[in-house]
Structures are given as C-alpha cells and as structure tokens.
Amino acid sequence: MYVKASTRKTRDGQTIRYLQLAHNEWDPAAKASKTRVLYSFGREDQLDVAGIRRLVDALSRLLAPADALAAAAPAGLSFVESRSLGGAWLLDGLWRRLRIDTVLRPLVGSSRREVDVERVLFALVANRALAPSSKLAAADWVCQDVYLPDLPHVTDDTCYRAMDQLIEVEPALTRGVYDQIADLLNLEVDLLFFDTTSTYFELDEADEPLWRDQQGRVVAEDDPAAVKQAGFRTHGKSKDSRDDLPQVVVGMAVTRTGIPVRVWCWPGNTSDSALIRQVKTDMREWSLARVVWVADRGFASAENRRFLQQGGGHYILGEKLRAGTSEADAALARQGRYATVAENLQVKEVNIDTDDRFVICYNPEAADRDAAVRQRLIAQLTDLIDDTDRLPATKRAELRGVISTKPGLNRFLRVTPKGLLRLDQAKVKAEQRLDGKYLLRCSDPTLSAEDIALGYKQLLEVERGWRDMKTTLDLRPVFHRREDRIRAHILLCWLALLLIRVAETETGRTWTAIRTEIDRLHLGVFTGPAGTFAQRTELSQPQKALLTKLKIAEPPRIFDATPATA
C-alpha cells in the first residue's frame, strides 16, 4: 500500500498533482500486477492535512507503540529502539509533586558524585509499581526497557547501596514524607487505621537469634534493653497460611481516604497484641492532633486500650463476639432497635456498665451468607455422623479425630457421655444469634454510633492496601536475606503504594487501569546521517486527562537531539 501521485495539465498549461492511496494486486488472468486505487485524496495543493493527521493518529492507535513510532519515522532515519515512558513519567510527576525528592535528597546525598541516590531510589519505587522484579532485574529494566528522567543507567550494586542508605534514614524520611503529603493532600488524620500482615520466605531454616530491644530493633549485647530474641525471618502465625515457612510481620497505618502514612516490620514471631503500642509511640513524635485509632480484634487487649487513651487519644476496636466475655454476652443480651446507616449496615448502641461504649453492627447480606455456610457445614456433618451409633467405639473415636481437624465441622459436633456423635443444637442456635453481627468498642464519647460503625468499616482500606502490596506491587518473593535490606524493600513497597493510592484517589480509577492506559505512551529513538534524537508517541485524550487530573505536565515531544560527530 502506497501513495500514488498523478499529474494533469489544465487548459492554461498549469500542472496539477493528484494523490491517491493505492494498492498493487495480482491479476491471475492477466498474470500481472495491477494497481487498485483505494482512496483519492484529491489535489495536492488542496490537501486536508489536518484530516490526514487525524487518520494517521487513528491508525497508529491500532499498532503497538514501537510500531507506531517506526511507521511515523521521517525519511532517511532509522528507528533504533522504543522504551516505555508514560508510567515512569506519571510516577515521577507525583514523586516531585509530593516533594518526596526534596525530602530524600538531603538525607541520602551521594557517596559518589556520578550516582544520584534519590534517582536510583525513585527507579526502584517505579519498578515496584510498574514491573515488580528483583533488584538485578530492576537494573536491567532501567537500562533496557523504560525511560526514567535523569537516570539513563544503573547497576544492581548501585541499587543495593541506595537501599542501604534508605534504611539508615527511615525515621526522618517517613516523618518528612508525611509532613509534605499532609499539607499537599489535606489529609484527614482524625482516624488512623492500623493492621498487620505477614510475608513468608522459601527457606529451610529460620534466621539465627539476635539481641534486640523491645521494638525488635537489633542492638548490641551489652545494651541495657537487649534481649535475646528470634532472628528476623522466623516462624510464627502466618496470615498466608504458611506456618511451615519463616516469615516477617509487617504493619501499616492508613488514613480514612486510604493513604498509607507509615509502615513497620518486625520479626516473624511477633504477636499482634503489643504492636499497636509501639506504633502509637512512634506516631506520637509526629505531633498529630487528636487521633482515634481503629484496629481489629487482635489489638483489643486491656493493656492496649489503656495505652491508646494516653495523651487524650481514643480508639475504635473490634471485639470478639464468640469469646464468651462478659461484655460481649451483656451486649448481645440488651434489647433495642437497629438503625440503618447504610444499605448493608445497621447499628445499635448498647449500654453496659463500663467506661467504653459498645455498638452492635448487623449486615443483612453477611447474615444470609453466614446462614448458608452454616447449613452447608451442618449437612456435611450430618452425613458423616449418620448411622455411626452402630459403629464400634474405636471407629467412632477415629471419626471424631478426623472431624476435630476440621474447625468448621467440629464447631457443631457434640459427643455424648457414651461416646455417641450428635449435632450440637445449642451451638447451632447460639451461632444463629451471631449471623451478620460484629461488636465494636469505642472510648470516644463524642462519636455517634453511625460514625463508630462507618469508621470501623473503613478498616477495609488497610486490607485493600495489603492486597495491593501482595499482588500489584509483589511484596513477595523478597529477594533479600539481610534484615536491613528486607526492611528497605518494604519501605520501597510503601512508597510505591503511596504513589498509586494518590493516583487512584485523584483520578477515580484503579491503578491497573491507569497503568494500562499510560504505559501506551512510549519514547522512540531514531538515528540518521545528521545524528540521533528521541521522540514520544502522540498523547491520547485519556492520557491527557490522567495527567491533567494529577496536575502533571505533559512530556515534551522531543526529548533528546544529538548531532552526529564528524
């Protein structure tokens, strides 16, 4: 397919050129190639240049970015390579807009003048958000696959040295980043949500024990606070159901809008119950205004509650309904009507003789799911124990042992004094009372029951953060064995999550959709007798809209022009 030019002369002798889009086809009858005109553009001097440009842009969108650049290459130039530009440009724009670069640069400096540590750390953060990989693969990604402003080349050794500097400045970095984003994004920190997760390692053996302080930090053996504790990667209760492998515990504090403000990590055998006290102590140094801490049932111990109220603080904590505590039993026994606060949420505040307030939340949809699951479990259990009265006692004991390994079924099993297996009807009725319900404990006397319930419901933002950490950002596998570098890796994941959550909040789109759209923007490199230059693909309207919403300038059309040397 090509553009065919034909000429004609007018009566006054003027030569007029006409342009046509033509295609050569083989004529089997004539056994020759014939020209077929597909479209006539008309007179060359009256050509609709704007219309042709729109046509070329429309056709280019059907091609891969590299192919579109190659197709539009000027005559006499060779298309050398294409690199992804859009994702890195967007993230770098957010990085600079949030002033993370101005916080980080004076902290890390540069041990070698030719290496900009701030740019290397940004590259590692961008890699987590765009193409998560090991640091060795990330260095190759920077050098071969992506265009990063002011960082044409990096090595894996440079990446490791930058990570070592990052973990050294963690306290100042996290405080500085918070100060910047709190002002720029007008963060609401009246509620802070905290939760933990774990990530495991494919290891045969856990790390050797080390001397640590109460916060789990490594200290010298002669330090007054030193206690011999487990290594960093060690066995514990895994939230990924991999108790067989060593792990580390990771904690995160998130605002009500889903912005992660800080991240922590501890040895893998650290229990949840004491962690929130360390978190509050660390956050106290930030001189935050009055804060209500929101956490799930794992943090609701009496010691934690007392600690969270120090300094005028308050809490909203989940309370275990099935624990059989006096507070839970008293709350369920109280009568009263539920008030609907959302389409799938009803609340009822109950008065108990304690200083805390208790709110029972009821979700009708969750109640239906709980009932359906219970009916399925009861049917399975009934099938297992039917006609077991005729079995010998040893066989019934064996079956009892098998059922004890299945918590869902074992919950509804009752064994009579004679060893007979029965369905526990009392347990079934007790569970029916709990369908779709959960109990909240709050120390703040000024919050309404609706605010307490909706505030706790926003704890899902932390869970969404963990989900993105483990999937979109590939928190694991962690390609590090040293404790400081594992901590640095988690810090990089936090910074990446911060950037993508800001992008999602301000555009109203998921990061997956944003990344897919903006990554179509590429930078092509062309070379010819006059030299080499780099040019980006045309910005689409969706790409322009994303950059506008995020207050990021459009990348220039031409990035680099290097004349050929004689």
Side-chain angles (χ1 to χ4, degrees), residues 357-383:
R357 300 167 60 199
F358 288 84
V359 175
I360 299 177
C361 301
Y362 174 70
N363 185 328
E365 296 176 3
D368 292 339
R369 289 194 299 270
D370 291 345
V373 170
R374 184 175 57 256
Q375 290 302 320
R376 177 172 54 81
L377 293 174
I378 289 174
Q380 293 178 10
L381 180 61
T382 302
D383 288 342

Side-chain angles (χ1 to χ4, degrees), residues 145-162:
D145 301 328
V146 68
Y147 177 82
L148 289 169
D150 305 320
L151 187 68
H153 184 270
V154 73
T155 66
D156 56 317
D157 286 338
T158 305
C159 293
Y160 291 129
R161 287 196 297 270

Side-chain angles (χ1 to χ4, degrees), residues 99-167:
R99 299 173 187 166
I100 300 176
D101 59 329
T102 62
V103 172
L104 191 54
R105 197 177 295 277
L107 294 175
V108 295
S110 179
S111 58
R112 299 184 179 184
R113 291 296 180 184
E114 69 273 13
V115 178
D116 189 337
V117 178
E118 180 271 329
R119 286 287 83 193
V120 175
L121 291 173
F122 166 72
L124 295 176
V125 171
N127 177 257
R128 300 317 308 174
L130 298 171
S133 56
S134 67
K135 302 306 175 287
L136 178 62
D140 186 65
W141 175 75
V142 170
C143 298
Q144 304 293 334
D145 301 328
V146 68
Y147 177 82
L148 289 169
D150 305 320
L151 187 68
H153 184 270
V154 73
T155 66
D156 56 317
D157 286 338
T158 305
C159 293
Y160 291 129
R161 287 196 297 270
M163 291 177 65
D164 294 342
Q165 289 185 259
L166 175 67
I167 198 62

